[in-house]
Amino acid sequence: MYYKVSRDPIHAEIFMYPLEIIASDTKAMQRLRYLSQLVGSEYVYPCATHTRFAHSLGVMHISGMYASHLFGDDPAKVRILRLAGLLHDIGHGPFSHQFDEVVYKNMGLEDGHDEYREKILLEYMPKAMYKVFERAPEKLKNAVLEDLNMVLGEVDDLEDDFRKVMEKVVETYKGENEGTIEFAVIQGPLGADRMDFVLRDSYFAGTRGFGTGSLDRLVRNSMVVEKDGKKFLAYNIKVIDEIYTTLFGRFMMYKNVYFHKTSRAADLMIQDLLELCYRPLKLKERVENLETFMELTDQRIINEVEIYFNQIVEEYNISSFEDTKEKILNFEIDLQPVELDIVMAYEIVERLKNRDFWKTILETPFSVEGIDPSAASQGFAMDILQKIRLRLEKAVEISDESDREELLKILSNFDEIFKVDTPYKLSLVHPDEFLKSNIYIYDSWKEHVLSFDEYVREYPAYKLMTSNLIQIVRFYVTKDVRNLLEKYNIIPKVDTSLTTRW
């Protein structure tokens, strides 16, 4: 069988088969080499500079491990699941999840890169794969035809055949709503996506202690079981501790890497950058056109902001960024709205380059019994902001003359200076996560299939490890006024009686 080998620090060697080689050599996949996997976290963990492309290869590899174990007698399904792993992140835009939060949401794509992925796979990839096939050496061409025969049963019109393959891949992702085995293998709680990003991200961040759990053992102890006449994915009860270890590692990666206070400060600044770029860089129009979308990368956005800003400088005969701000404030130049957006975007780019991030003034993680903490966090945040505003007003009255002007400036720009971050809620082990994905525990001693909550009830010692949902709430200042806030005791103390600390 024809294959190539990619060396990988996590999985040693990743085998790539003909259809995977053709798919990975398209522009849509190669673009992922220029998208950071961790975005803001690389400002905290300097070696965490790996890419979405490397992660995609890892997900393909683990998908193949699962597929070969569960469906080894169906090579066509194995190939489709490997392709689904390879292509799962193909819809990501520049700065990955930050692009989801801003650009895709502005476009009405609530599911972000997952929703846009289908458009790429069905409208772009068949032609793109055919172009790669045309330039491939004869040996690879013959191997691709063999792969297509295996997956489809026959080869007719090549471009149409590639489309049929992509339709099968898309069908795998659509299994999320029904909780299919195939979707769970790719993106379930213990699926290939999560297993690779915990192992890979912890390796490159230098936090390998969190990237724990035996991948080989989990895969080997996965199985297809029948319950109520339907087939589901299950894990042997013998690896329950491996499951908890893996989930704990994921939890600690979110706590310490993905949601690190400085990582999130950078992420939020990048969200502001994308919001400011949305109109002047015509991001909506460029995303809607698949050809121009393929040009969008992290560095492309940065470069275009800098080029646009330099054009403004030249047009208005401005000497520097500071000069630009001064002339705008003094109404010496009248910029168009899109030009003003670029000036503000350029300031963020400069701050990122100088590692001049928003500063944390208050942080509290908490879990409220019986309700979703993401709902409670909004009220909590508004209450804290109101207290800060009232304390600022009081500080103005008692401040000395040298501080009063600065305090008044802070008050007049309150919404621009104080920012709240409530990243999505975390859990250590939450039964609903497995219930939604239709993933079960197989009790090999009793020959019984259990849902995760049934397992916890039957083995109550593990109930102590089943976490409530936890929400982080952080307050940042976009301008470093921490000394003044501390001097006048502006930041309120948080009532810890309603919080559960990490």
Side-chain angles (χ1 to χ4, degrees), residues 56-148:
S56 296
L57 292 182
V59 176
M60 177 190 72
H61 174 74
I62 299 175
S63 299
M65 291 173 63
Y66 267 116
S68 296
H69 174 70
L70 297 170
F71 310 112
D73 57 349
D74 188 349
K77 177 173 279 194
V78 172
R79 185 68 81 248
I80 292 300
L81 287 178
R82 285 177 59 90
L83 281 167
L86 176 68
L87 300 168
H88 81 288
D89 268 352
I90 204 168
H92 266 303
F95 306 109
S96 298
H97 293 288
Q98 313 323 316
F99 199 83
D100 283 16
E101 291 295 321
V102 177
V103 178
Y104 282 144
K105 279 192 177 175
N106 283 345
M107 294 176 64
L109 301 177
E110 290 302 317
D111 290 330
H113 69 280
D114 286 340
E115 192 171 342
Y116 195 70
R117 172 179 62 199
E118 183 173 335
K119 179 181 176 72
I120 295 173
L121 294 181
L122 297 181
E123 297 179 27
Y124 181 89
M125 284 298 284
K127 288 182 181 179
M129 290 175 72
Y130 182 68
K131 286 181 181 178
V132 176
F133 175 85
E134 282 189 312
R135 70 171 189 258
E138 202 63 32
K139 190 175 181 181
L140 176 55
K141 282 183 178 178
N142 292 332
V144 170
L145 294 175
E146 289 178 15
D147 246 15
L148 285 170

Side-chain angles (χ1 to χ4, degrees), residues 66 69-70 217-224 233-236:
Y66 267 116
H69 174 70
L70 297 170
R217 185 165 164 79
L218 281 173
V219 170
R220 184 167 56 81
N221 282 279
S222 64
M223 63 192 73
V224 177
L233 179 64
Y235 290 87
N236 196 308

Side-chain angles (χ1 to χ4, degrees), residues 210-439:
F210 302 144
T212 53
S214 172
L215 172 60
D216 292 341
R217 185 165 164 79
L218 281 173
V219 170
R220 184 167 56 81
N221 282 279
S222 64
M223 63 192 73
V224 177
V225 297
E226 281 202 23
K227 185 177 175 67
D228 302 325
K230 295 182 179 180
K231 292 184 177 181
F232 300 106
L233 179 64
Y235 290 87
N236 196 308
I237 197 170
K238 291 188 293 185
V239 293
I240 193 68
D241 288 336
E242 291 288 353
I243 291 174
Y244 274 90
T245 300
T246 301
L247 295 174
F248 182 73
R250 183 188 68 173
F251 174 85
M252 296 303 285
M253 282 297 292
Y254 272 97
K255 177 182 179 294
N256 292 283
V257 179
Y258 311 134
F259 290 169
H260 184 285
K261 61 185 177 67
T262 307
S263 298
R264 285 297 297 171
D267 285 342
L268 293 170
M269 291 172 72
I270 289 168
Q271 286 181 29
D272 275 6
L273 170 67
L274 290 169
E275 193 71 64
L276 290 164
C277 292
Y278 187 72
R279 287 186 305 161
L281 297 189
K282 296 181 171 56
L283 293 181
K284 178 177 183 290
E285 295 82 353
R286 292 164 76 179
V287 170
E288 288 173 339
N289 183 318
L290 284 166
E291 293 295 336
T292 54
F293 175 79
M294 296 307 155
E295 305 296 332
L296 291 175
T297 63
D298 298 356
Q299 194 57 47
R300 182 70 175 258
I301 297 293
I302 300 292
N303 291 346
E304 289 189 11
V305 168
E306 292 175 328
I307 290 168
Y308 202 149
F309 176 77
N310 288 331
Q311 290 172 348
I312 294 171
V313 166
E314 187 174 336
E315 182 177 348
Y316 291 94
N317 193 27
I318 304 165
S319 61
S320 67
F321 174 69
E322 291 302 321
D323 186 31
T324 307
K325 285 207 300 185
E326 186 176 339
K327 289 188 174 183
I328 292 170
L329 291 172
N330 293 331
F331 302 100
E332 295 177 36
I333 53 175
D334 185 19
L335 296 178
Q336 296 297 316
V338 290
E339 292 175 325
L340 189 57
D341 284 345
I342 285 295
V343 170
M344 296 167 67
Y346 181 80
E347 181 177 18
I348 294 174
V349 168
E350 286 296 292
R351 290 188 66 171
L352 290 170
K353 285 185 170 183
N354 287 284
R355 208 174 178 278
D356 177 17
F357 301 127
W358 297 353
K359 306 302 181 186
T360 311
I361 57 170
L362 181 64
E363 170 183 342
T364 180
F366 66 93
S367 175
V368 183
E369 193 73 37
I371 65 171
D372 186 335
S374 61
S377 67
Q378 299 302 318
F380 171 79
M382 293 304 102
D383 179 60
I384 292 293
L385 287 175
Q386 180 63 14
K387 287 178 179 177
I388 290 174
R389 190 188 290 272
L390 292 172
R391 289 183 179 213
L392 272 169
E393 291 172 353
K394 185 175 181 180
V396 168
E397 297 173 4
I398 63 172
S399 63
D400 53 51
E401 192 172 338
S402 61
D403 292 334
R404 189 169 296 120
E405 184 179 351
E406 189 61 34
L407 288 167
L408 285 169
K409 281 183 182 178
I410 295 172
L411 262 177
S412 62
N413 295 284
F414 188 89
D415 292 337
E416 287 74 37
I417 291 176
F418 293 92
K419 301 290 185 181
V420 178
D421 180 33
T422 54
Y424 52 84
K425 52 189 175 287
L426 303 175
S427 66
L428 176 54
V429 180
H430 205 282
D432 286 352
E433 187 177 18
F434 289 82
L435 185 64
K436 181 182 177 183
S437 302
N438 286 329
I439 294 176

Side-chain angles (χ1 to χ4, degrees), residues 237 240 441 450-459 462:
I237 197 170
I240 193 68
I441 301 297
L450 301 165
S451 66
F452 214 92
D453 53 347
E454 287 172 338
Y455 168 79
V456 171
R457 286 198 298 271
E458 197 158 319
Y459 295 88
Y462 283 90

Side-chain angles (χ1 to χ4, degrees), residues 126-127 129-130 133-134 141 144-145 148 152 155-165:
K127 288 182 181 179
M129 290 175 72
Y130 182 68
F133 175 85
E134 282 189 312
K141 282 183 178 178
V144 170
L145 294 175
L148 285 170
L152 300 177
V155 176
D156 184 17
D157 175 84
L158 271 179
E159 190 176 317
D160 190 51
D161 290 337
F162 287 133
R163 182 174 289 103
K164 289 175 183 176
V165 171

